[in-house]
Amino acid sequence: MENVIEMRHITKVFPGIIANDDVTIELRKGEIHALLGENGAGKSTLMSVLFGLYQPEKGEILKNGHVVQINNPNDANNLGIGMVHQHFKLVHNFTVLENIVLGAEDTKHGFLYMKNARKKVEEISQRYNLKVDCDALISDITVGMQQRVEIIKMLYRDNEVLIFDEPTAVLTPQEIEELMQIMRDLAKEGKSILFITHKLNEIKEVADRCTVLRKGKYIGTIDVATTTKEEMSEMMVGRKINLTTEKTESHPTDDILVVKNLSVSKKGHKNPVNNISFSVRKGEIVCIAGIDGNGQTELVQAITGLMPILNGTILLNGKDITHASIRQRNVSGISHIPEDRHKHGLILDYPLSYNLVLQRYFEPQFSQHGFLKFEEIEKYSEKLIEQYDIRSGQGSKTIARSMSGGNQQKAIIAREIDKNPDCLIAVQPTRGLDVGAIEYIHKQIIRERDEGKAVLLVSLELDEVMNLSDRILVIYEGEIVGEFNPKEITVQELGLYMAGSKRGDTNEKAV
Amino acid sequence: MKKLFKSEASLNFASSVTAIIAGLIIGLIVIIIANPSNALNGFLTLIQGGFSNGTRGIGQVLNNATPIILTGLSVGFAFKTGLFNIGTPGQFVVGAFVAIYIGVEWTFLPGAIHWLVAIIFAALAGALWGCVPGIMKAYLNVNEVIASIIMNYIGMYTVNYIVPLTVFNINKNETLPVASSAVIPQFGIEHLIPNVNGGIVIAIILVIVIHIILNKSVLGYELKACGFNRDASKYAGINAKQKIVCSMMIAGALAGIGGALVYLGGTGKCLAVVDTLAPEGFNGIAVALLGLSSPFGILAAGLFIAHLTIGGSLMQIYGFIPQIVDIIIAIIIYFSAFALMVKGILANGFHFKKKPKVKEGQ
Ligand SMILES: Nc1ncnc2c1ncn2[C@@H]1O[C@H](COP(=O)(O)OP(=O)(O)OP(=O)(O)O)[C@@H](O)[C@H]1O
Ligand SMILES: [Mg+2]
């Protein structure tokens, strides 16, 4: 079969790290080619090279057998190469349509002429079943919708080589299903797709072949149909991975976090959190399961103090923290792994070490008489980097922005767990992590539980919910509609509650 | 090329220098157009700046640099914390007035501390002027640029109103000169450069202090965190509102001190009652831009711009009218605004590669 794209012997060096070391990859016409590798293995970098964002130190790129030079994304675009980035690049106060045509606008007498554009977008959206509202503002639509905008953007430019960098990390299971179907349709049409993901199930489901990278090096390309998930993960990490988590029975004791009749209001909408009550006890992992957008974000932000509440009470260790400041909540024992790592979790322009003490810089360990103790901060940061295997070019000094997505996430988790909280609130903690890292983080969360911490987990991934939790609360339209023991419920049944088609009566008894 | 600009500091330096050179070249073109026959002499005088007059010239450069280093620090400090302090002219003028008032009236103070008290109160006045836009930004979400501009006019007109009622020299339409005990001592540097004001010493001390606050202190960590990412700072438990006010107060205090240093400098200069915003205030923006908001960068940029200003005024002996001089300085300042952009270009390196062969046939 003919190769649309060949990247030969690509080497890309960043300060302190060889992100791609002599990597060769071939993309056939009409195939879905997965790219697999640990966090920081160099997947995004390799794709950025293809998209013209980085210039490789060595190597060449061939399009349809001819050597091409790709100096910037415009060149890539002219060659029919499009990319959906790991962290989307949309203009938030522009409409969907404006974002799609941005940089490829039609003009008439020097004015924007949107009529043709709108028609074309509608055509694309029909043909591939990519439903979007052309006139909605990006800031008002869900992440899944934003991603559709990114995909339409590529198709609008008639790209035939489509790069998806971890598209499923931010999607709900339903949206992932839809995306898989869209990708299959696109491939059937003759488009060629490069697909980065950490989820082996997804690779099994849609990909034809899979190339594995490890620490910047090319490990091999395999045929997906004839390779098992275990083999793939072993290729990627270099050791055997236990894909299911083992844990013992939980023995919860006293209440740590108690939420009573909590409501959060939102202008012009019904309350995103409506009269929710529950508690998390010492030594248990309670999971809030639900479809994205049913009030999980608001619930967590209300508990952590990022969002004002309408009414209700929040108790931590028996102490009323309903009106406590964020700082007070942080120091009295709440840790929070936030949903949006770039918005809340990190100061991207600060070095890694500064980010690792983000809620602790003022403690006597890290500062004295109003001055930072740089050596202590550095020492502490080295410890966490080592312990949690946070990979980056320049260790403590690396600017967080230049770290790979998964390693940014690992840094946040390390910081929050190492704070030694009484109550750990983790929202999608393993989003964007490789299987090895997920295994490690899950172990850590269970260890926290066993050490007597209360863990509140919010996850969209049912596998994670079933594997980790001791108790499941299902949230639907801002209310808890059921409480379950994971051993006594099937994924299917859980799904029904999450979709709102079934309602339990157990929620009354909570607290 | 890339290797050369490896470290952040050298990259910053290189970009500022590039901006200056570009500005000077365009400036030269303007000079040639304005007066071709004297262009070369004029240009050389401009570049020679403060060095054409022995230690006197150097003293002049230092004196002229003092206020714009302070206003530059003010703008740069606020900028590092994510705020644009365009209120320096107002903060400068209220600082100047308070310093003069104390310098003239509070002669009961012992000579050793008279000047210091005047500076401290000038700082407080500037801080007050800075804190108003800070509070409006933090608690009412009013853009600090708009609030600062309004405070500039309030500051200027208030001072113009109060001066005639208090420390007024009606013959010259300006304030009275300050008492000799309110003049800042020269700290011994007069032995090297006789005509220098003590203010430059205070300016340099403040450059160091601000550098330490920004880079070593807990406060600096918090302020910069707010500047980079307000949501994440909130998440970290930093009281972002309080920090905004704090940052604007420090910025205002710096500009206020700038005002004090000029009029307590011992040059006999007095604050005139005029309806124009203090140019030292706005020049601070250019200084901060050229210095890329870093304290030591601002120190260098302030000295450089003062140097050019002196050179510019000397150009008049070759028949260049002062307006031409202002244009040239403005061009350089304008280019300094591009220093950041130049930095980006230098950091990414240059791609002198051949254009891609696009859209080959299928
Ligand atoms: N702009 C940059 N500057 C410096 N180093 C970088 C930059 N971009 C990436 N790196 C480094 O290169 C390495 C590879 O990063 P890359 O983003 O390609 O990883 P990845 O395979 O996509 O990982 P993940 O699964 O976590 O997204 C990382 O160690 C990262 O720190
Ligand atoms: Mg990546």
Side-chain angles (χ1 to χ4, degrees), chain A residues 55 63-64 66-69 71 75 78-80 160 306 326-327 330 336 338 342-347 349-350 354-355 357-359 361 367 370-372 374 415-416, chain B residues 2 6 212-213 215-226 228-239 243 351 353-362:
Chain A
Q55 296 303 309
K63 170 90 198 292
N64 295 331
H66 305 281
V67 175
V68 289
Q69 185 72 43
N71 288 330
D75 292 350
N78 292 335
L79 289 164
E160 45 173 347
L306 284 168
I326 299 172
R327 171 66 47 88
N330 281 346
H336 175 199
H342 281 182
K343 186 171 179 203
H344 290 117
L346 294 167
I347 296 193
D349 296 294
Y350 265 171
Y354 274 30
N355 272 295
V357 293
L358 195 55
Q359 294 113 322
Y361 62 88
S367 65
F371 288 95
L372 296 172
F374 291 96
R415 176 181 78 206
E416 296 308 312
Chain B
K2 254 185 185 167
K6 254 232 166 108
I212 291 173
I213 290 181
N215 297 306
K216 311 266 181 228
S217 77
V218 171
L219 180 66
Y221 177 95
E222 295 176 327
L223 289 174
K224 282 191 294 179
C226 291
F228 284 134
N229 183 345
R230 203 152 286 160
D231 290 310
S233 323
K234 198 175 156 197
Y235 161 88
I238 298 170
N239 186 338
K243 295 298 171 240
H351 300 307
K353 291 188 183 162
K354 54 184 190 300
K355 281 246 91 154
K357 292 181 275 172
V358 285
K359 278 281 180 216
E360 84 279 15
Q362 301 279 305

Side-chain angles (χ1 to χ4, degrees), chain A residues 240-258:
Chain A
K240 282 211 161 41
I241 291 279
N242 193 350
L243 292 175
T244 52
T245 337
E246 282 159 31
K247 73 189 211 312
T248 56
E249 195 67 30
S250 74
H251 302 287
T253 54
D254 314 335
D255 283 343
I256 296 280
L257 178 72
V258 178

Side-chain angles (χ1 to χ4, degrees), chain B residues 17-36:
Chain B
V17 169
T18 315
I20 288 167
I21 292 171
L24 283 175
I25 291 170
I26 309 273
L28 178 60
I29 295 170
V30 173
I31 294 176
I32 292 172
I33 294 170
N35 188 345

Side-chain angles (χ1 to χ4, degrees), chain A residues 78-136:
Chain A
N78 292 335
L79 289 164
I81 302 169
M83 179 161 179
V84 177
H85 295 270
Q86 191 165 1
H87 303 104
F88 303 152
K89 299 186 187 297
L90 295 168
V91 185
H92 277 239
N93 49 356
F94 272 23
T95 65
V96 167
L97 187 63
E98 284 167 339
N99 265 286
I100 292 171
V101 299
L102 193 65
E105 304 92 347
D106 265 347
T107 50
K108 198 171 175 180
H109 313 306
F111 289 98
L112 269 184
Y113 186 65
M114 289 291 211
K115 214 165 137 200
N116 292 343
R118 184 181 292 268
K119 231 175 93 196
K120 188 166 173 188
V121 169
E122 275 162 8
E123 253 169 47
I124 294 169
S125 127
Q126 281 264 301
R127 179 141 137 232
Y128 298 102
N129 199 17
L130 289 157
K131 287 188 214 77
V132 288
D133 172 5
C134 280
D135 301 309

Side-chain angles (χ1 to χ4, degrees), chain A residues 43-45 86 165-166 196 198 404-406:
Chain A
K43 306 176 294 293
S44 297
T45 304
Q86 191 165 1
D165 192 351
E166 289 193 43
I196 302 182
H198 290 294
S404 83

